Amino acid sequence: MWALFLVAAVASACSTQPRVRSIVAADIVAPPPPPPPPSPVDEIADLEPILRSDPELAAWMDDAQKRRLQVLVAVPEKEEGAQPTLRRMGYRADAEYFYPASAVKLCLATAALEKLDEMRESYGVKLKPSTPLRFVTGEGRTRRVLDTSLGRDIELALVISDNDAANRLFAFVGTEELAERLDRVGLKRTRIVQTLGEVVRGPEPMIELRAPSMTIPVGRRIGFPLTPAPPPILVGRAHVDAQGRTVAAPLDFADKNAAPLRELQDLLVTIMRPDLVAERPAIAAADRTELIEVLARLPSALGGRSRARAPTARDRDAKPLHVAIAQTAPPGAIKVSGKGGRAYGFSVENVHAVDTRTGRSFFAAATILSNENGTMNDDRYDYESVANPFISRLGVVLAQKLLGPQG
């Protein structure tokens, strides 16, 4: 893959004005204060009784600390004459660090659409997610051009979890501007500082939106202070280093992405049920509608553009919680939307489910570590024997408890 894209956040950046500018002293902002602590546990009702009522889930919970198992559920409720609220229930929610993997791609997509809406207003041009978007790297013989669109890359990133598409969204927004946008909607402890997958580092690309009436250079705001890297976050008993050597020490995740389970869920709430929150991304109504449709798609819906595997296996691997919940009712009865991911043995799920027959709904976010040998970064994880069985059973139990007939 050609050099894509993102180098260090402060190496070189652009303003939101058409002209590219380099960082100068005035752009440097003092380090921010430490992030706020997680919400007190007493704000979230105990989910454990519901989970332990199922023998299969109870067996997984016996090793919850070892597997870094966390579950967070939010149920929309409305009393007559009152504003709707969220009732939260959690089990070990945000008890320790987990790697958020591709679940952060929803953050990238949301920020990109918000930025597109701002550019639409600034330039007075009818920009859409389908507006052609060009990435240019290199010069002369090394010059390379990639034509795409935000809409295409959002679909690829959220449906089949394409890393290259997600990294283009990251480059479109910029590291510091992404942090600023996430902070503004309440995601103050989410830290996205690394691209996804194997990326060849190189100069930042020149990015242009090619509207029918004009070509618009895409700049990036700078100066927003990134959350400092935390102290070492050590996971596992050993790890494979960049040279392929096994090191008899845990892997340090301090310089990697981080996103608390509650903040991942909060972002999905702002998209699916903006009536439940005060702060939400400034996304155009039509773009939000399209984003919701994308979040509900399975890889099998993309046909030839999805991975060359059997559709059912592809769907189950990419969105196991989505598939498990949907299969508890007749086809089409339950609509599930969301984005999860898996990497380094961590599986992360973040979904919204609504029963179209009754209107009952819930949000569920969960994570579990599937790394039986204790060695990180060796690509020998236990998703099929650990993560998928747990996640699938979790989906069935939550659907039965929260979408079934009310007693």
Side-chain angles (χ1 to χ4, degrees), residues 46 63 205 215 226 253 357:
D46 189 7
D63 288 328
T215 296
L226 300 177
F253 281 79
R357 301 163 298 183

Side-chain angles (χ1 to χ4, degrees), residues 323-375:
V323 171
I325 293 171
Q327 289 180 343
T328 63
I334 299 176
K335 185 172 183 178
V336 187
S337 306
K339 179 72 185 91
R342 64 189 194 186
Y344 293 108
F346 288 96
S347 292
V348 184
E349 292 296 317
N350 185 26
V351 304
H352 172 255
V354 58
D355 190 323
T356 60
R357 301 163 298 183
T358 65
R360 299 183 70 190
S361 65
F362 68 86
F363 293 87
T367 183
I368 187 171
L369 177 61
S370 308
N371 185 27
E372 299 301 281
N373 68 10
T375 301

Side-chain angles (χ1 to χ4, degrees), residues 132-164:
L133 184 63
R134 173 166 289 183
F135 290 82
V136 181
T137 58
E139 296 179 350
R141 293 182 178 180
T142 65
R143 185 175 186 269
R144 299 198 177 184
V145 177
L146 179 67
D147 290 314
T148 182
S149 69
L150 283 183
R152 177 180 182 273
D153 283 344
I154 287 172
E155 181 182 52
L156 292 174
L158 298 184
V159 181
I160 63 171
S161 211
D162 185 275
N163 286 335
D164 292 338

Side-chain angles (χ1 to χ4, degrees), residues 369-405:
L369 177 61
S370 308
N371 185 27
E372 299 301 281
N373 68 10
T375 301
M376 306 301 296
N377 203 35
D378 65 351
D379 291 329
R380 296 174 60 190
Y381 303 121
D382 304 277
Y383 299 121
E384 292 297 327
S385 59
V386 175
N388 284 0
F390 169 77
I391 291 169
S392 295
R393 189 59 192 168
L394 177 66
V396 170
V397 171
L398 292 180
Q400 291 174 343
K401 297 285 186 181
L402 302 175
L403 298 181

Side-chain angles (χ1 to χ4, degrees), residues 216-237:
I216 303 173
V218 177
R220 278 141 286 180
R221 288 200 292 268
I222 59 176
F224 188 84
L226 300 177
T227 302
I233 302 171
L234 304 179
V235 182
R237 296 189 297 269

